[in-house]
Amino acid sequence: MADILGILDSIPDPVVLEKAKKAIACLRRTCALYPLNKIAFSFNGGKDSTVLLHLLRAAVAQQEAAKGNAGGITGLGGMLSFYFRQTDDFAEVKAFVEGADQAYGLAVEYLSEQDFKKGLCDYLERTGVLAIVLGTRRGDPNAGGQDVFCPSSEGWPAFMRVNPILDWTYHDVWVFLRATRVAYCSLYDHGYTSLGGVGNTLPNNSLRRPDGSYEPAYHLADGRLERVGRVHAAPAKAPAAAMVQAAHDAHAAHLPPAQAASSRGSAGGAAAASGASEGGAGMLVHHDSGEVGAAEGKGAAAAAAATAVAAAARSGGGAPAAVSELTRSAAIVVVGDELLSGKVDDVNARFLCRELRSLGWQVVRVVFVPDAVDDIASVVRALAATAEAVITAGGIGPTLDDVTMQGIALAVGQPLVRLPGMVERMASYFGGEAALTPAHLKMAEGPQHADLIDYKLADGQASKFPILKINNIYVLPGVPSLLVQKWGALKERLRDDALAPFRNATLRLSLTDETSIAPALERVASTHGLDVAVGSYPVDNGIIVTLDSKNTRALQAAVADITELLPGESVLALERDVDSLQ
């Protein structure tokens, strides 16, 4: 049990670490308010529920350590755990829950009642449980109006819902799981980002590679697309069930043989599960967030599901669309006091954002930091844990305020050393090793295990100032002309044939009142939101509406819809693939 307390400190993102500590404090308070045997953990094997499992273990370990009982704690210290078995559960989810149950001594009670409300009523009456710990997050369909401590809804048995990770984001969850190196359900390594049942869950098409296989869930660049793989196969829509089955078969073709057989086996009940989902209010939705409650047949969840089915239909039905919508994530760290003081206008971040987007990468963060080692280290460490590539700009010269290398070395836990390859190149450029001053040698410093990426100048000669790469971090200079020069070499490294570029359509309107177009934008976002990003930007002489997507067909359909919905004669111009709204 004490092992979890040791690995919490390995969380690189200070924001996630603070959230974890806050969640543990919430759980400890729960343990103080209720007897442990009157608290139950709703464990369903999803990613959020898995985070919660280990936060619970940490809370119980801290509680027992405070009593001097750190030695022989098992399970959750007397807290109950339960799991509702459903006919359309993934075999991988069942196996993971059973494995965690055994590994951590959870003594999970497996409930088979298919009427969820009745099963919960029976469980509470039999156990006397007063509080249920859940993995609900703000973005979940049933999270509206909930707080960390939230009494059950009217019409349900009386108990306290405890939501310790309510304010966590999708990326927070994956920072925690990857930093702590705890086991999680194997489906997440094969493109699933949100788990329901076999009949309503597909791999996320945003992670689909051209060969039909999928990137792992933690590579999802935009957390807003977490539930893209969740569909609602209504009983009257037999083709939808067939679509789910076909997608599972296509997915299984890319798994190891044993796992593929398991996936096909669990998918076998998809059609039956789809038929059983009729009924609107009271229909069970088995969310990966571990929430307890009945889903409404209408509302946000149903709308999102309907949109997902529509998106699949636009892709031609069956397995996910052949056009890859795979996106990789990048973060940019711009270093310099002169930028934060407003003395210098930044051009580097804008340039890098445009260039990365043209390659099909999505920039998820741009952070400006001062010339301060600890600030640089903290930001780089956090971003390197969530983005597939981090690019820094600035702070790598010979003067006292050039401290980027020190910050990165601290971030990755490597000593700052003089890199022999850099010293050699400095000596060649400045006229021999004897000519090198301490200022020259400072530019030869870097984290001990940095890689040097050489590139050629416009005249064909190799540059004496290579790009430094440390893990997934690339270090560029802050001088714009030098950054552009080095970017030419880095760009080819980041180019990936699997990534389609982002395309856009820009409509310039004569209107000046955004409220007049808000309904049209909402309508288009509702219809195409899984494929197309919709934006509106007021300017001095009107409004600019932007539509962005990797899916050309979806973009065309969105353009047609928005043009039809906007007031007549309001569109002054329609432009394609612009890189500036000015």
Side-chain angles (χ1 to χ4, degrees):
M1 181 72 76
D3 62 309
I4 187 63
L5 296 179
I7 62 178
L8 284 177
D9 289 335
S10 65
I11 298 174
D13 188 333
V15 173
V16 177
L17 180 58
E18 185 60 31
K19 286 184 177 182
K21 290 178 178 177
K22 185 177 178 181
I24 292 169
C26 165
L27 291 167
R28 290 192 63 180
R29 186 61 183 156
T30 304
C31 294
L33 290 170
Y34 303 95
L36 284 178
N37 65 351
K38 299 303 178 185
I39 304 171
F41 167 40
S42 175
F43 183 44
N44 67 6
K47 60 186 183 300
D48 304 329
S49 193
T50 302
V51 167
L52 196 51
L53 164 62
H54 295 287
L55 292 173
L56 275 165
R57 293 179 62 231
V60 172
Q62 285 186 4
Q63 197 96 333
E64 294 301 315
K67 299 176 184 176
N69 301 331
I73 312 167
T74 58
L76 296 177
M79 196 179 303
L80 307 182
S81 301
F82 66 88
Y83 170 77
F84 270 92
R85 296 185 189 271
Q86 298 298 313
T87 56
D88 71 337
D89 283 345
F90 281 94
E92 294 88 344
V93 173
K94 295 178 187 175
F96 174 70
V97 171
E98 291 166 1
D101 183 10
Q102 183 175 2
Y104 301 113
L106 303 179
V108 173
E109 183 170 350
Y110 295 89
L111 307 175
S112 299
E113 174 60 61
Q114 295 301 293
D115 183 328
F116 187 75
K117 188 172 183 178
K118 181 179 185 303
L120 186 63
C121 288
D122 292 345
Y123 178 76
L124 294 176
E125 182 177 352
R126 176 167 43 81
T127 61
V129 161
L130 301 173
I132 299 179
V133 182
L134 305 163
T136 302
R137 293 190 289 115
R138 292 274 182 214
D140 295 335
N142 76 324
Q146 290 203 40
D147 295 313
V148 174
F149 288 95
C150 185
S152 56
S153 302
E154 187 174 350
W156 283 79
F159 66 92
M160 181 64 73
R161 290 176 288 191
V162 183
N163 304 312
I165 63 170
L166 190 63
D167 292 321
W168 288 44
T169 68
Y170 179 85
H171 289 296
D172 292 340
V173 168
W174 281 110
V175 167
F176 181 94
L177 292 175
R178 299 193 71 207
T180 55
R181 298 181 181 275
V182 295
Y184 53 80
C185 180
S186 61
L187 289 173
Y188 291 116
D189 283 333
H190 298 283
Y192 290 85
T193 54
S194 177
L195 298 179
V198 173
N200 68 357
T201 308
L202 299 173
N204 193 317
N205 202 44
S206 299
L207 295 172
R208 189 176 188 270
R209 302 183 183 111
D211 66 359
S213 63
Y214 289 83
E215 295 278 332
Y218 52 79
H219 279 174
L220 185 67
D222 189 344
R224 293 171 297 181
L225 302 180
E226 174 183 359
R227 299 180 65 82
V228 164
R230 298 290 287 273
V231 298
H232 175 63
K237 308 274 188 180
M243 175 193 77
V244 173
Q245 181 66 55
H248 284 302
D249 289 344
H251 164 61
H254 295 277
L255 297 178
Q259 194 173 346
S262 170
S263 181
R264 290 192 182 98
S266 63
S274 300
S277 68
E278 186 177 12
M283 175 187 70
L284 170 67
V285 177
H286 189 194
H287 295 297
D288 73 350
S289 56
E291 63 271 90
V292 171
E296 298 283 340
K298 301 177 181 179
T307 306
V309 172
R314 288 195 302 275
S315 299
V323 176
S324 173
E325 295 178 26
L326 176 65
T327 302
R328 300 202 182 281
S329 60
I332 299 168
V333 180
V334 185
V335 182
D337 289 345
E338 68 280 7
L339 295 162
L340 293 172
S341 66
K343 296 173 184 174
V344 175
D345 291 335
D346 170 70
V347 295
N348 289 331
R350 184 181 183 190
F351 169 80
L352 290 171
C353 285
R354 285 180 175 177
E355 288 290 307
L356 286 161
R357 197 164 181 82
S358 73
L359 295 177
W361 285 69
Q362 180 163 326
V363 177
V364 294
R365 293 285 188 280
V366 177
V367 183
F368 289 80
V369 294
D371 298 311
V373 173
D374 288 344
D375 288 350
I376 295 169
S378 176
V379 168
V380 169
R381 184 187 302 115
L383 293 177
T386 58
E388 293 179 74
V390 176
I391 300 173
T392 70
I396 58 172
T399 58
L400 78 167
D401 58 342
D402 291 315
V403 294
T404 296
M405 287 301 183
Q406 292 171 257
I408 294 175
L410 182 60
V412 299
Q414 296 179 22
L416 186 72
V417 300
R418 287 180 184 170
L419 301 170
M422 287 296 293
V423 172
E424 181 182 336
R425 288 166 174 78
M426 293 288 112
S428 173
Y429 186 81
F430 289 107
E433 200 163 332
L436 297 180
T437 66
H440 292 131
L441 291 171
K442 182 178 181 180
M443 293 190 292
E445 293 177 344
Q448 186 174 28
H449 301 298
D451 296 319
L452 305 183
I453 301 174
D454 286 308
Y455 66 97
K456 291 185 178 180
L457 301 171
D459 61 6
Q461 298 296 313
S463 171
K464 300 299 183 183
F465 299 89
I467 301 167
L468 265 66
K469 174 181 178 292
I470 308 93
N471 301 333
N472 62 333
I473 304 161
Y474 299 88
V475 186
L476 296 180
V479 177
S481 60
L482 297 180
L483 182 140
V484 170
Q485 182 186 89
K486 288 181 181 285
W487 169 252
L490 180 54
K491 183 176 184 176
E492 295 311 308
R493 282 192 160 243
L494 298 180
R495 190 183 300 279
D496 185 341
D497 291 339
L499 301 182
F502 284 96
R503 311 298 300 271
N504 69 70
T506 301
L507 294 87
R508 297 182 182 273
L509 310 182
S510 59
L511 307 172
T512 57
D513 180 7
E514 276 192 296
T515 63
S516 65
I517 65 169
L521 298 183
E522 289 178 8
R523 175 85 173 271
V524 172
S526 175
T527 304
H528 304 282
L530 296 180
D531 297 310
V532 181
V534 182
S536 171
Y537 308 92
V539 292
D540 289 341
N541 56 351
I543 301 171
I544 298 176
V545 172
T546 63
L547 304 170
D548 289 75
S549 181
K550 288 192 169 194
N551 187 321
T552 303
R553 286 177 295 175
L555 182 62
Q556 288 285 86
V559 169
D561 284 356
I562 192 69
T563 303
E564 182 178 337
L565 292 168
L566 288 171
E569 308 299 324
S570 64
V571 179
L572 299 176
L574 171 61
E575 302 169 337
R576 303 280 184 172
D577 297 326
V578 302
D579 61 7
S580 174
L581 299 182
Q582 296 178 347

